[in-house]
Amino acid sequence: METTTQSLARKEFKGIDVTKFILALLVVAGHTHPFKDIQNPTFLYLWKQLQLLVVPYFFMAAGFFLFQKVDQQPNKAQKLAVIWPYIKRIAKMYIYWTIIFIPITLWNYATDDIVFHKDIILFVRGTLFFGENYYSWPLWFLLSMTYSLAFIYLLTLLDFKRTTIFLISVLFFVVATIFNELVKQESKHELLLAIGRAVKYLFLTGRLFTGMFYVMIGGLIANHQFKLKPLSIVILIAIAGYFQYHPIKIISPLFFGLFPIGLFLLTYNLRLNFVNNNAFYRKSSTVLYFTHMIIFFVYSLLFRSLDYFGWDAFLVSVMIPIALTPLINTYENKMPFLKELFG
């Protein structure tokens, strides 16, 4: 997603642009299920894990470009002056896309069996605490970014050092992982079951609390405070892999976070000299991410059924956003609202 600060250096990171485009395709595939007929357990497991790499990578890319600009500023006031407009831009994007999805949300409310006042409660909860309503599942990224950066802004305002803010983000990541475990409702302890029910009711999962950690990782990488040699990255990934094949509650999900970090470290600095139009890949990843569920909904409603998944749905949901990308690039300077929608 192109939710990053604009800078001249931005165009130099072809590895990020191309990787985000590929990951955006994975997002579309994850929602349209082109592989629905494949029942091989190994494939299904690997496919599920692969999809979990996507949003953490987007968080890190956003933090990478934001903190490049933040850390160029000589004092706290100017650093905050960079972060605050960015928070407002992300929040506006979230509001705009939530409004765009409202017709689909209302369609769902009109066809469900829930009384309308409860639908309103669900909408408020989904908008403020889940980051999603019916079919607007990708928008949680924007809500998590908004909350994460607002908290980073507050801590910076209170003179917390970058290292301390990072450690707080690690704590949030651990809490998020615990929440993800509790909402499964597998505990035998009544108190933990009650906490899990509360978390699920309020936040659905712990994912909203993961954004700050990955944003901070991206910022550390941008400023060479988190730099590893390729062999060290491979070792980290191997350690993460070991814990995925020998699962331990809480521990294995925590170590899974090394996968997207390793992917970012391996790809962010790729030169990719053969790629000439990385700006197209950059914009396409954003357009794909935010529009594919609308296209998928309309296609399913008109030509299939809303419980339909398959290759044709995937291809339609990919081709239309890619076809729209050149038009958006052409007209976004004449129509500022397009820039507000797609960054």
Side-chain angles (χ1 to χ4, degrees):
M1 283 158 291
E2 180 56 17
T3 51
T4 57
T5 53
Q6 302 298 315
S7 68
L8 294 176
R10 178 66 180 86
K11 296 181 180 179
E12 298 174 4
F13 292 94
K14 295 181 178 181
I16 294 178
D17 293 331
V18 173
T19 303
K20 283 171 64 179
F21 176 76
I22 294 171
L23 293 178
L25 295 177
L26 291 183
V27 172
V28 181
H31 291 150
T32 57
H33 299 290
F35 305 117
K36 64 184 178 66
D37 295 325
I38 299 178
Q39 300 299 321
N40 182 277
T42 301
F43 174 85
L44 293 176
Y45 174 79
L46 293 175
W47 176 242
K48 180 181 179 181
Q49 303 309 306
L50 194 61
Q51 292 177 69
L52 294 177
L53 299 176
V54 177
V55 178
Y57 191 97
F58 291 154
F59 281 131
M60 284 185 282
F64 180 84
F65 291 111
L66 173 63
F67 283 103
Q68 270 192 338
K69 192 171 182 179
V70 169
D71 289 335
Q72 290 173 2
Q73 309 309 313
N75 57 56
K76 183 179 79 172
Q78 289 174 294
K79 291 178 189 295
L80 294 173
V82 172
I83 299 173
W84 181 246
Y86 187 75
I87 295 171
K88 291 195 293 184
R89 184 159 68 88
I90 297 298
K92 283 170 67 176
M93 284 182 71
Y94 181 62
I95 293 169
Y96 291 152
W97 280 107
T98 298
I99 293 171
I100 289 170
F101 272 94
I102 277 181
I104 298 176
T105 304
L106 291 176
W107 184 94
N108 177 56
Y109 292 159
T111 56
D112 66 20
D113 297 324
I114 302 174
V115 295
F116 188 68
H117 74 272
K118 289 188 177 180
D119 283 331
I120 294 175
I121 294 172
L122 292 175
F123 178 78
V124 172
R125 184 179 63 174
T127 302
L128 296 180
F129 299 105
F130 289 5
E132 66 174 58
N133 289 294
Y134 185 68
Y135 265 67
S136 66
W137 306 319
L139 300 190
W140 78 268
F141 167 81
L142 293 175
L143 186 64
S144 183
M145 279 290 296
T146 302
Y147 287 156
S148 298
L149 289 173
F151 193 50
I152 291 170
Y153 180 94
L154 176 62
L155 294 175
T156 304
L157 183 66
L158 296 174
D159 290 322
F160 280 73
K161 293 182 179 180
R162 182 68 57 81
T163 303
T164 305
I165 297 175
F166 172 68
L167 291 176
I168 292 172
S169 77
V170 173
L171 176 62
F172 271 84
F173 186 68
V174 173
V175 169
T177 304
I178 294 172
F179 281 177
N180 286 335
E181 188 64 35
L182 291 177
V183 298
K184 295 178 182 178
Q185 294 289 284
E186 295 175 349
S187 175
K188 296 181 180 179
H189 299 282
E190 196 59 40
L191 176 60
L192 294 179
L193 288 172
I195 294 172
R197 286 192 294 269
V199 170
K200 189 171 184 178
Y201 180 81
L202 286 174
F203 303 110
L204 192 62
T205 67
R207 65 184 184 180
L208 209 63
F209 301 92
T210 62
M212 183 179 174
F213 169 72
Y214 289 114
V215 167
M216 292 302 300
I217 288 286
L220 292 176
I221 294 172
N223 295 289
H224 310 291
Q225 295 172 286
F226 191 93
K227 191 174 183 180
L228 298 176
K229 294 181 178 180
L231 179 59
S232 299
I233 298 171
V234 171
I235 292 173
L236 283 181
I237 292 174
I239 292 171
Y242 173 84
F243 280 101
Q244 304 318 304
Y245 284 99
H246 299 83
I248 303 174
K249 286 186 178 182
I250 308 297
I251 302 300
S252 292
L254 284 174
F255 274 96
F256 183 87
L258 295 176
F259 283 123
I261 294 171
L263 178 64
F264 193 86
L265 288 169
L266 289 171
T267 58
Y268 84 96
N269 215 20
L270 291 176
R271 294 185 180 276
L272 300 182
N273 294 326
F274 59 90
V275 175
N276 298 317
N277 194 10
N278 57 301
F280 175 81
Y281 291 106
R282 184 190 319 156
K283 185 66 72 175
S284 285
S285 65
T286 308
V287 178
L288 275 166
Y289 188 86
F290 288 116
T291 65
H292 74 275
M293 287 306 299
I294 298 172
I295 295 164
F296 178 44
F297 175 82
V298 173
Y299 175 77
S300 301
L301 188 65
L302 293 179
F303 301 106
R304 292 290 190 171
S305 63
L306 286 178
D307 58 351
Y308 174 78
F309 303 104
W311 273 102
D312 55 325
F314 168 74
L315 292 174
V316 169
S317 300
V318 165
M319 290 188 297
I320 292 178
I322 289 177
L324 288 174
T325 300
L327 292 174
I328 293 169
N329 280 333
T330 300
Y331 290 104
E332 65 180 1
N333 289 327
K334 299 177 183 177
M335 302 172 65
F337 185 62
L338 289 176
K339 275 195 172 181
E340 293 187 326
L341 281 181
F342 297 105

